[in-house]
């Protein structure tokens, strides 16, 4: 018995509107989990990267170990990383978030540190001459001037996290990766393609959103261009 001509699900086609309409809730839940895991990992990574970069800038002897350790973490394959974290976190969302945080540190620390080092020394001296203390100098002068480089790292780290979340499907917390993984196991074409396209859409949207935020926070760069 052949499938009806309008039944793209029965024919297992790659592009199928019936899949979108019948699995809308499943897709939304998977996309929401994907966004939550990505946002949490990037925010924690940023919270850790800022003090690490400041320490590396403040004490020269700390720069080598900090950059070396974060670089080594980034070279570990994602499956191996999750396997190493498994005894600590078990099959949980915390395992995926922790892995993503460790991966994000390389990109974030390097770019924040590069931005801080690029602040002209004469600018620091001028601020000190105006009575700026160390904390005010950092918050009002150094961090704002380092923001373009830091945002570049944040954009790359966010897009990378969106991609790496899918690997979390091996422990059941992969957002859209869960649908891709199960769809590949059953050769469910519409599910694989739809979930993959949504991952790309999330990555592009996140990058554009951060780019817009960067332009709003650094108006002086717009005037220079």
């Amino acid at each position: 018995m052949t499938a009806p001509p309008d039944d793209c699900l029965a024919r297992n086609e790659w592009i199928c509107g019936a899949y979108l309409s019948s699995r809308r809730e499943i897709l939304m839940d998977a996309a929401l989990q994907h966004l939550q895991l990505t946002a949490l990992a990037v925010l924690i990574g940023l919270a850790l990267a800022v003090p690490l970069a400041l320490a590396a800038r403040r004490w020269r002897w700390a720069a080598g170990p900090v950059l070396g350790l974060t670089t080594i973490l980034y070279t570990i394959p994602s499956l191996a990383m999750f396997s190493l974290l498994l005894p600590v976190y078990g099959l949980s969302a915390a395992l995926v978030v922790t892995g993503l945080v460790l991966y994000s540190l390389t990109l974030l620390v390097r770019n924040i540190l590069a931005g801080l080092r690029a602040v002209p020394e004469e600018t620091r001296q001028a601020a000190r001459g105006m009575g700026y203390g160390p904390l005010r100098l950092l918050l009002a002068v150094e961090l704002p001037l380092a923001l373009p480089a830091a945002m570049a790292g944040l954009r790359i780290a966010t897009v990378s996290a969106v991609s790496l979340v899918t690997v979390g499907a091996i422990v059941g917390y992969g957002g859209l990766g869960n649908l891709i993984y199960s769809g590949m196991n059953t050769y469910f074409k519409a599910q694989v393609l739809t979930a993959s396209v949504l991952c790309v859409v999330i990555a592009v949207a996140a990058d554009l959103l951060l780019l817009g935020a960067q332009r709003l926070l650094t108006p002086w760069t717009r005037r220079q261009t």
Side-chain angles (χ1 to χ4, degrees), residues 106-124:
T106 300
L107 300 167
L108 292 172
V109 171
R110 282 186 178 277
N111 280 270
I112 295 172
L113 181 58
L116 290 171
R117 286 175 170 174
V119 177
E121 183 59 31
E122 55 268 24
T123 302
R124 293 192 180 95

Side-chain angles (χ1 to χ4, degrees), residues 56-197:
R57 198 282 310 269
R58 178 68 175 81
W59 299 291
R60 290 187 176 182
W61 60 265
V66 167
L67 295 176
L69 179 59
T70 55
T71 300
I72 291 173
L73 290 172
Y74 196 76
T75 62
I76 301 174
S78 54
L79 290 177
M81 176 72 81
F82 289 163
S83 298
L84 292 172
L85 295 172
L86 188 59
V88 180
Y89 296 99
L91 300 176
S92 65
L95 182 148
V96 179
V97 171
T98 302
L100 296 177
V101 168
L102 294 177
Y103 278 126
S104 71
L105 287 179
T106 300
L107 300 167
L108 292 172
V109 171
R110 282 186 178 277
N111 280 270
I112 295 172
L113 181 58
L116 290 171
R117 286 175 170 174
V119 177
E121 183 59 31
E122 55 268 24
T123 302
R124 293 192 180 95
Q125 294 297 338
R128 293 190 186 100
M130 295 172 63
Y132 281 47
L135 182 59
R136 188 183 178 191
L137 174 64
L138 174 66
L139 297 177
V141 178
E142 293 180 316
L143 286 180
L145 291 178
L147 197 57
M151 288 297 294
L154 181 60
R155 289 170 59 194
I156 298 173
T158 301
V159 172
S160 297
V162 172
S163 174
L164 288 171
V165 165
T166 58
V167 184
I170 62 172
V171 296
Y173 294 92
L176 293 164
N178 293 339
L179 300 182
I180 296 173
Y181 184 72
S182 62
M184 291 180 68
N185 284 337
T186 58
Y187 200 56
F188 192 172
K189 296 178 181 179
Q191 180 164 297
V192 172
L193 181 62
T194 303
S196 299
V197 169

